[in-house]
Amino acid sequence: MDFRDILKDLVKRVDGAKAAVLMGYDGISIDEYKREGTDIDIQLIGIEYSGIIKEMKRTSEVLEGGDVAEVSVITGNGIVVIRAVSDDYFIMINLDIDGNLGKARYLMKMSVPKLKEQL
Amino acid sequence: MDFRDILKDLVKRVDGAKAAVLMGYDGISIDEYKREGTDIDIQLIGIEYSGIIKEMKRTSEVLEGGDVAEVSVITGNGIVVIRAVSDDYFIMINLDIDGNLGKARYLMKMSVPKLKEQL
């Protein structure tokens, strides 16, 4: 399974998932997968959130909270879930507002070892 | 029920909850409740996260994602859940790493109308 297959598997298995991306905290993506017919700009969303996650990592350090493992954000019209893969990379998935957040979190966690193997 | 009672109720009912705070996005808190014996600095955590949430609100605006309703962050040694109460205020709860995130999310959502009534 290459990166795209893992991202595709995630998107296909989570109800309401629109797209997923594997990206560096520097905002440069390695790979992405979008569900057919989705016009979401997952790159742009990833870039915007990568800055926030970097800030969170800094905050967690200040607070001695340990590494940031996962972040979920629910906005007025969607859900974003981010999971750290390594010190340099994270995966992000974008769901409809009524998407299955629990399953997304579970499957993302499960996918980390597979992604790590190939980084 | 005043603010503190609502925060206390939240902390008491969620397994693994340590403290909760009602705070403005400007980092100024209205009230807080800490479980007995907890030495967590919920003020400091709230102040640090209020800056991040402000940044998220700005990002969500840029991405036309709508208002930020809820943010969960899982770090190496704890969980932070933040829920917007109004344009100016949010509540934040701090859980142990094995705390009940689902129940925290549910009860925080339920507490928003009660908090709003008094703001």
Side-chain angles (χ1 to χ4, degrees):
Chain A
M1 262 190 154
D2 68 7
F3 294 134
R4 182 158 309 186
D5 290 332
I6 296 170
L7 297 172
K8 182 176 173 177
D9 185 61
L10 266 176
V11 172
K12 294 269 182 200
R13 289 173 69 190
V14 177
D15 283 341
K18 295 194 278 192
V21 66
L22 172 64
M23 188 175 259
Y25 289 108
D26 57 4
I28 297 174
S29 86
I30 297 185
D31 217 336
E32 65 171 69
Y33 178 79
K34 279 194 223 186
R35 197 183 281 271
E36 245 173 87
T38 299
D39 64 351
I40 189 174
D41 190 343
I42 189 82
Q43 292 279 337
L44 177 64
I45 300 172
I47 290 166
E48 287 287 344
Y49 275 101
S50 67
I52 291 175
I53 302 301
K54 263 201 297 196
E55 187 60 21
M56 269 190 188
K57 282 159 78 82
R58 193 200 58 78
T59 295
S60 190
E61 223 166 88
V62 170
L63 298 171
E64 297 175 359
D67 290 337
V68 175
E70 186 196 286
V71 179
S72 313
V73 184
I74 302 175
T75 69
N77 51 28
I79 302 172
V80 171
V81 189
I82 292 156
R83 177 159 274 274
V85 175
S86 70
D87 282 348
D88 298 317
Y89 297 100
F90 65 89
I91 44 170
M92 187 185 79
I93 195 165
N94 205 284
L95 314 180
D96 289 327
I97 189 68
D98 54 356
N100 192 334
L101 170 59
K103 194 161 178 187
R105 292 181 61 224
Y106 173 74
L107 291 177
M108 287 170 87
K109 193 172 177 179
M110 291 301 111
S111 74
V112 167
K114 286 183 277 180
L115 291 163
K116 262 188 159 164
E117 245 174 49
Q118 292 176 59
L119 275 172
Chain B
M1 257 189 158
D2 68 7
F3 295 133
R4 181 158 309 186
D5 289 332
I6 297 170
L7 297 172
K8 182 175 173 178
D9 186 61
L10 266 175
V11 172
K12 293 269 183 198
R13 289 173 70 190
V14 177
D15 283 341
K18 294 195 278 193
V21 65
L22 171 65
M23 188 174 259
Y25 290 108
D26 57 4
I28 297 174
S29 86
I30 296 184
D31 218 336
E32 66 171 70
Y33 177 79
K34 279 194 223 185
R35 197 184 281 270
E36 244 174 88
T38 300
D39 64 351
I40 188 174
D41 190 344
I42 190 82
Q43 293 278 336
L44 177 64
I45 299 173
I47 290 166
E48 288 287 344
Y49 275 101
S50 67
I52 291 176
I53 301 303
K54 264 202 294 195
E55 186 60 23
M56 270 192 186
K57 282 160 79 83
R58 193 201 58 77
T59 296
S60 191
E61 224 166 87
V62 169
L63 299 171
E64 297 175 359
D67 291 338
V68 175
E70 187 196 285
V71 179
S72 313
V73 184
I74 302 175
T75 68
N77 51 27
I79 302 173
V80 171
V81 190
I82 292 156
R83 177 159 275 272
V85 174
S86 70
D87 282 348
D88 299 316
Y89 297 99
F90 65 90
I91 44 170
M92 187 185 80
I93 196 165
N94 206 285
L95 314 179
D96 288 328
I97 189 66
D98 54 357
N100 192 333
L101 171 58
K103 193 161 180 190
R105 292 181 60 225
Y106 173 75
L107 291 177
M108 286 170 89
K109 193 174 177 179
M110 292 300 111
S111 75
V112 167
K114 287 182 278 181
L115 291 163
K116 261 187 160 165
E117 244 174 51
Q118 293 175 59
L119 276 172

